[in-house]
């Protein structure tokens, strides 16, 4: 008990005596002080006093697919500050190699009476029917960022995939490229499907043989690009920076130069892409803007205000570096 009091007091920035008074539901405690102690209890996994167990904690779950892709920690960092400024405490939840899944996190977050949940590059529906139904039944505020499926009945924010493809194609075509391929995620992954649809609509005579679907990894990008090179592609547009790095590896394994023989464009502009060899041309997601919009929507729901269910899309930015160049013999 003493250890618990000490930990909670330190986190909340109050004395152990104050924590004890809150735990025993004594009068004379300021509302802000009580909230700080209750939040500390939530964060540290301790049970609230009985009278306050039905209250909604000021915690917000941030559910991410993994922490290997730098874009996901970047979103978490962008939202953490915005949540803190609203008096909310972010709780990071990410799938792990030992089997901790979205379903586990949803169950844990619901048990903690969280104020809301943000899903990044995933969906509450991915967790399983029981968890999805529990969220619907609770009417818990949620927001999806770049969701993997449609979820038309849930607030969503994300990057404009069609515009991203348009910017990439315009850049490559200005360099003389005509045999342009795309490397995207598996079929059914909505952001990938949108990129493919825009590619086929915009590239005159585009062949589906120049569309490669794979897993989001460097290895997946390498394997997919090998197939596109066999189809005569002189440039590839990738749905992530990791895929783009795999594309560069595929070209070099075949003795090709980037960008001399193959131009490569990534997606995200994640950390260190300006320092790869060559520095990667990529499409930058407006992380700060999207993160702020997600938090604003979530806070509005928590406050009981109605929010639009139409998806909010934000413009990407083409960052031109050294992985793209003129097609050979284009002049």
């Amino acid at each position: 008990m003493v250890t618990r009091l000490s930990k909670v007091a330190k986190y909340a920035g109050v004395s152990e005596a104050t924590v004890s008074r809150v735990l025993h539901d004594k009068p004379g405690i300021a509302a802000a002080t009580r909230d700080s102690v209750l939040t500390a209890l939530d964060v540290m996994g301790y049970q609230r006093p009985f009278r306050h167990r039905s209250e909604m904690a000021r915690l917000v779950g941030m559910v991410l697919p993994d922490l290997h892709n730098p874009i996901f920690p970047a979103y978490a960092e962008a939202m953490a500050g915005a949540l803190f400024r609203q008096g909310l405490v972010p709780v990071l939840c990410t799938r792990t190699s030992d089997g901790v899944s979205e379903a586990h996190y949803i169950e844990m977050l619901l048990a903690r009476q969280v104020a809301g949940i943000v899903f990044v590059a995933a969906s509450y529906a991915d967790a399983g029917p029981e968890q999805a139904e529990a969220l619907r039944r609770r009417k818990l505020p949620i927001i999806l960022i770049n969701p993997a499926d449609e979820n038309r009945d849930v607030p969503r924010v994300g990057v404009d995939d069609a515009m991203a493809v348009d910017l990439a194609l315009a850049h490559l075509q200005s360099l003389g490229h005509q045999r342009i391929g795309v490397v995207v995620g598996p079929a059914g992954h909505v952001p990938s499907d949108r990129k493919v649809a825009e590619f086929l609509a915009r590239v005159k005579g585009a062949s589906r043989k120049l569309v490669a679907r794979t897993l989001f990894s460097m290895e997946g990008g390498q394997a997919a690009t090998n197939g596109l090179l066999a189809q005569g592609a002189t440039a590839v547009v990738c749905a992530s920076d990791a895929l783009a790095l795999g594309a560069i590896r595929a070209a070099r394994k075949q003795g090709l130069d980037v960008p001399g023989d193959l131009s490569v464009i990534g997606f995200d502009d994640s950390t260190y892409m300006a320092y790869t060899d060559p520095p990667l041309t990529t499409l930058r997601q407006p992380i700060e803007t999207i993160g702020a919009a997600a938090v604003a929507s979530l806070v509005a729901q928590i406050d009981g205000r109605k929010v639009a269910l139409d998806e909010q899309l934000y413009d990407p930015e083409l960052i031109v570096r050294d992985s793209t160049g003129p097609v050979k013999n284009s002049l």
Side-chain angles (χ1 to χ4, degrees), residues 255-327:
L256 302 177
D257 177 68
V258 176
D261 299 301
L262 180 72
S263 285
V264 178
I265 296 181
F267 186 86
D268 287 338
D269 193 29
S270 47
T271 306
Y272 306 127
M273 291 305 104
Y275 307 102
T276 56
D277 180 23
L280 186 67
T281 296
T282 187
L283 291 143
R284 176 180 293 165
Q285 290 201 50
I287 296 172
E288 294 291 337
T289 302
I290 292 174
V295 170
S297 176
L298 193 71
V299 169
Q301 295 177 64
I302 292 171
D303 290 343
R305 290 178 276 137
K306 288 187 177 180
V307 297
L309 295 182
D310 294 337
E311 189 172 18
Q312 301 176 52
L313 296 179
Y314 294 87
D315 297 347
E317 178 185 0
L318 179 68
I319 307 299
V320 178
R321 298 192 180 106
D322 296 341
S323 66
T324 52
V327 67

Side-chain angles (χ1 to χ4, degrees), residues 154-326:
V154 178
R156 293 150 292 150
V157 295
V159 67
D160 190 328
D161 293 296
M163 176 174 282
V165 170
D166 290 347
L167 290 171
L169 291 177
H171 174 61
L172 293 172
Q173 289 167 346
S174 73
L175 295 170
H177 293 276
Q178 296 181 353
R179 295 288 294 175
I180 302 171
V182 292
V183 180
V184 296
H189 179 253
V190 166
S192 294
D193 291 348
R194 291 176 178 176
K195 289 181 177 72
V196 170
E198 187 68 11
F199 171 76
L200 295 175
R202 292 293 181 181
V203 178
K204 186 177 181 181
S207 169
R208 290 192 176 272
K209 292 182 179 180
L210 290 174
V211 175
R213 291 186 178 272
T214 186
L215 298 178
F216 281 100
S217 66
M218 288 181 61
E219 294 76 15
Q222 181 176 349
T225 301
N226 284 331
L228 294 176
L229 287 169
Q231 295 295 324
T234 63
V236 292
V237 180
C238 300
S240 77
D241 291 336
L243 290 173
L245 294 179
I248 293 173
R249 180 190 289 176
R252 287 182 170 161
K253 287 277 189 179
Q254 295 191 31
L256 302 177
D257 177 68
V258 176
D261 299 301
L262 180 72
S263 285
V264 178
I265 296 181
F267 186 86
D268 287 338
D269 193 29
S270 47
T271 306
Y272 306 127
M273 291 305 104
Y275 307 102
T276 56
D277 180 23
L280 186 67
T281 296
T282 187
L283 291 143
R284 176 180 293 165
Q285 290 201 50
I287 296 172
E288 294 291 337
T289 302
I290 292 174
V295 170
S297 176
L298 193 71
V299 169
Q301 295 177 64
I302 292 171
D303 290 343
R305 290 178 276 137
K306 288 187 177 180
V307 297
L309 295 182
D310 294 337
E311 189 172 18
Q312 301 176 52
L313 296 179
Y314 294 87
D315 297 347
E317 178 185 0
L318 179 68
I319 307 299
V320 178
R321 298 192 180 106
D322 296 341
S323 66
T324 52

